[in-house]
């Protein structure tokens, strides 16, 4: 699975072939075909593996969080650290490819829904008591939209300072939204 994800990151979906993944993984073509007879099967498993890695990353980070403190800022920074990394870029490759590949789209949609539930649960825990706020669900969704958009922009525009500034503004808006009476 690591070889498939690496290939997606380096070559994109169109350039990812089962032959190349088998070569990178150091397995015979026959062994690869036995486990993954088609590119779609291989990518479907890679998608699940990618989602498991992403959730594993969140769980690992959650264990290192202090029990008290600025949970809003910490949660937003944690999200950005994962959206600005290679796992998200591999997901982007698959999202774009799924637009014109119905089998990949169906697989990816199921995996994204599962991953989305896990991310929502993680954010509820990381944000702490403010997750009980009636507008928290909307804020959580908007935060994910913001992260995705900023990560996509980073592909073309490497101005990290501008994104840092946007994240700081988003934190202030989140505090305002989640304040009592907000």
């Amino acid at each position: 699975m690591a070889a498939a994800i690496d290939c997606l990151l380096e070559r994109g979906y169109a350039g990812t072939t089962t032959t190349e993944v088998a070569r990178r993984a150091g397995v015979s073509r026959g062994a690869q075909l036995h486990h993954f007879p088609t590119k779609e099967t291989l990518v479907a498993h890679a998608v699940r593996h990618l989602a498991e890695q992403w959730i594993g990353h969140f769980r690992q980070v959650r264990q290192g969080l202090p029990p008290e403190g600025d949970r809003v800022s910490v949660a937003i920074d944690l999200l950005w650290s994962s959206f600005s990394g290679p796992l998200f870029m591999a997901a982007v490759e698959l999202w774009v490819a799924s637009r014109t590949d119905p089998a990949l789209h169906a697989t990816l949609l199921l995996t994204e829904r599962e991953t989305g539930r896990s991310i929502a649960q993680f954010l509820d825990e990381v944000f702490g008591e403010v997750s009980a706020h009636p507008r928290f669900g909307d804020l959580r969704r908007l935060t994910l939209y913001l992260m995705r958009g900023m990560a996509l922009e980073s592909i073309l525009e490497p101005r990290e300072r501008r994104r840092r500034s946007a994240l700081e503004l988003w934190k202030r808006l989140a505090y305002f939204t989640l304040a009592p009476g907000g």
Side-chain angles (χ1 to χ4, degrees):
M1 294 300 95
I5 292 167
D6 287 345
C7 199
L8 281 168
L9 286 169
E10 290 174 28
R11 296 179 168 211
Y13 181 74
T16 296
T17 65
T18 56
T19 304
E20 176 61 14
V21 172
R23 185 192 67 73
R24 288 176 184 228
V27 299
S28 70
R29 180 90 168 112
Q32 179 264 307
L33 286 172
H34 174 73
H35 294 288
F36 308 108
T38 66
K39 179 179 176 177
E40 290 75 23
T41 307
L42 175 64
V43 170
H45 281 82
V47 167
R48 286 187 190 92
H49 181 75
L50 185 61
E52 289 167 8
Q53 280 189 316
W54 206 344
I55 298 306
H57 167 75
F58 282 139
R59 287 184 180 135
Q60 184 179 30
V61 169
R62 182 179 60 213
Q63 291 174 354
L65 292 178
E68 304 284 328
D70 180 7
R71 302 302 287 266
V72 171
S73 182
V74 167
I76 289 172
D77 287 341
L78 286 174
L79 269 177
W80 179 241
S81 74
S82 84
F83 275 90
S84 61
L87 294 179
F88 180 73
M89 289 303 148
V92 168
E93 285 292 333
L94 296 172
W95 290 354
V96 171
S98 75
R99 188 181 70 81
T100 57
D101 185 327
L104 179 61
H105 184 271
T107 299
L108 194 57
L109 185 60
L110 290 175
T111 303
E112 284 295 321
R113 285 180 179 162
E114 292 169 14
T115 305
R117 283 190 291 274
S118 295
I119 291 171
Q121 180 184 6
F122 166 79
L123 289 175
D124 290 351
E125 294 169 13
V126 174
F127 272 94
E129 63 188 38
V130 296
S131 66
H133 190 283
R135 297 185 70 188
F136 177 74
D138 292 333
L139 182 86
R140 181 181 59 211
R141 194 170 15 269
L142 286 170
T143 300
L144 292 171
Y145 294 160
L146 174 72
M147 297 292 165
R148 288 177 182 141
M150 287 181 12
L152 289 173
E153 179 196 48
S154 73
I155 294 169
L156 296 176
E157 188 65 56
R159 294 185 184 171
E160 187 58 30
R161 191 158 71 195
R162 185 186 330 181
R163 280 183 284 285
R164 269 275 135 229
S165 178
L167 285 174
E168 293 307 315
L169 175 59
W170 186 248
K171 290 175 188 179
R172 290 193 300 274
L173 292 170
Y175 288 123
F176 177 77
T177 301
L178 297 174

